[in-house]
Amino acid sequence: MQNIVPMTRPILELRPGQHLTLTPQLQQSIRLLQLSTLELEAEISQVLAENPLLDREDESPAAEAQAESERESSVQDDEPAAERETAVDEMPGSGGVYPDDDSSLPEAARPDTLREHLLGQLALTRAAPRDVVLASLLIDELDENGYLDSPLEEILGWLPADMEPDIDELRAALSLLQSFDPVGIGARDMAECLMLQLRNPDPARLPEAADAAALACARQICAHHLPLLATGNAARLCAAVGCDEATFRVAHSLILRLEPRPGRAWTVPAAEYAVPDVIVRKTRRGWQVTLNSAAVPRLQINGLYAQMLGNQKDSAHAGLQAQLQQARWMIRNVEQRFDTILRVSQAIVERQTAFFSQGPAAMRPLILKDIAGELGLHESTISRATTQKYMLTPFGTLELKRFFGAGVSTEGGDATSATAVQTYIRQMVADENRAKPLSDSQIMQKLADQGIVIARRTVAKYREALRIAPATLRKAQASAR
């Protein structure tokens, strides 16, 4: 019997896949929100140069003619206007509340930002488009020192549900980021930052790393014994690590050469360069928040081009019609950016009234979820709206992220914020005897004396968050000076 082979037919199948699709308008809205004021100005300047349909209101011919007319008709009006323009400069200076322990004169700014430096390296990789998107999101979450402040699990919750994000993919994207220059970038804490630098050390920059025993000793100390290193007890460290004193001295010298803040070279001191997005003033109705008019670009559609286009839809004007739509998106998204920043700032001020009256030590517990729930926005939106956005307060110009921190219980049953506790720690370190710096245990005891009872390991965590070196390193730095 002859076998009959059934004919095969092509079958149309629908297979689900993972796609991260955002409209160009939404992509622009997200990008503008995460930019600092200075970065936004650069972005707008580029768009103005490329799109003739977009103008600044103060650069339009009508605005210039009106301004000239006003100058000719009333010279006396110039003085109050000048006073209004310099009102921001007369308010308290920035950076006074959170001075850096080892800061001196502001360093010259790098030609690019840390974000641009990392994105440039990302563009040169052969990573899949999805991995590039995830790595870009992680880059946007780095603080000014190059640390990843938010846990991966928290970032995972911010991602769009239709993206079907996976924690393993996020870990892979972080590994990619941590392979970039500067070494140590993308670390979650100081221990990881130092370990990344010791993974494949450059002998030219770290000659002590050529000693294999010292390198192994340094790795063990950074991975497991930083709190013990802070005590300065060399004998205990040698016993814990299993090395002799000579090896420990070389390892210690190696650790002192590491950079605890890998993003420092790209950091522009906020005291000199941060432009406040919002201003907080005391009025009869309480603390009021307003946008800093000097930071808000005034954009408009070029009237001449718009009139020329009219309602014409023919293909000859398709390019100009597209530029007109892009100009409208830019204006709308810039307005939405500042509206979001203002709303978030108002909610912060309402929650942190005690800070504006009493200072950083009165900062209350506050998390992104609180503001997100109150405003009906996603936590990722709050994160972008508070990163590199600054508020001019009676205590200086502060990044909006400074107002967030988890709660810490006190002996009286009340709660204070982690930010307030960090303020106490920073002040203690600033006032300490440089020759005998405070250990984490001593800081813990001083906090307990003020009614704030926390574990020594929590003190170490907050100290690392402040980028304050362990006591033994501070002592070594002081002796080196």
Side-chain angles (χ1 to χ4, degrees), residues 265-470:
W266 285 264
T267 300
V268 179
E272 297 294 331
Y273 300 96
V275 178
D277 298 88
V278 294
I279 302 170
V280 180
R281 296 186 177 92
K282 182 68 176 292
T283 68
R284 293 181 179 179
R285 294 178 294 174
W287 295 100
Q288 298 295 316
V289 188
T290 57
L291 288 172
N292 178 13
S293 58
V296 182
R298 300 170 62 85
L299 302 175
Q300 65 178 9
I301 300 296
N302 183 294
L304 182 62
Y305 277 99
Q307 183 179 5
M308 182 181 69
L309 282 175
N311 295 322
Q312 301 180 43
K313 302 294 183 181
D314 55 84
S315 58
H317 297 86
L320 286 177
Q321 290 289 352
Q323 289 184 311
L324 176 61
Q325 184 61 51
Q326 292 170 358
R328 288 171 175 164
W329 283 353
M330 174 61 76
I331 293 173
R332 189 178 303 117
N333 286 332
V334 168
E335 291 175 349
Q336 182 178 346
R337 174 190 186 273
F338 282 98
D339 178 67
T340 301
I341 293 173
L342 180 60
R343 291 177 61 202
V344 171
S345 299
Q346 289 171 333
I348 290 174
V349 171
E350 291 173 1
R351 298 275 190 133
Q352 297 287 11
T353 303
F355 161 83
F356 294 95
S357 301
Q358 305 169 38
M363 197 85 77
R364 306 301 300 168
L366 184 64
I367 59 176
L368 296 176
K369 187 176 181 180
D370 295 334
I371 302 299
E374 180 177 333
L375 300 181
L377 300 173
H378 200 276
E379 288 182 45
S380 61
T381 301
I382 306 301
S383 177
R384 292 187 178 94
T386 55
T387 301
Q388 297 188 73
K389 314 303 184 299
Y390 295 88
M391 176 184 290
L392 184 59
T393 79
F395 299 95
T397 299
L398 308 180
E399 187 179 15
L400 295 186
K401 274 193 176 297
R402 294 283 193 183
F403 294 93
F404 293 86
V408 176
S409 299
T410 65
E411 282 185 339
D414 298 327
T416 187
S417 72
T419 303
V421 176
Q422 290 175 0
T423 301
Y424 286 125
I425 294 175
R426 183 183 285 276
Q427 191 60 48
M428 290 177 190
V429 172
D431 296 339
E432 71 184 3
N433 181 347
R434 298 290 183 181
K436 296 181 179 179
L438 297 171
S439 67
D440 292 341
S441 297
Q442 291 171 321
I443 294 175
M444 177 187 70
Q445 184 56 52
K446 284 181 173 290
L447 289 172
D449 294 341
Q450 300 183 41
I452 302 173
V453 181
I454 58 176
R456 182 191 54 77
R457 61 178 177 274
T458 306
V459 171
K461 173 185 174 183
Y462 289 164
R463 175 179 52 73
E464 291 176 3
L466 292 168
R467 313 299 180 237
I468 296 175

Side-chain angles (χ1 to χ4, degrees), residues 187-226:
R188 273 75 59 91
D189 53 38
M190 185 179 294
E192 185 177 22
C193 178
L194 301 181
M195 285 298 295
L196 288 171
Q197 296 175 59
L198 293 174
R199 186 164 55 185
N200 295 300
D202 179 8
R205 190 177 69 87
L206 302 171
E208 295 87 351
D211 186 331
L215 177 59
C217 177
R219 285 171 175 168
Q220 288 193 55
I221 291 173
C222 291
H224 308 292
H225 303 293
L226 281 181

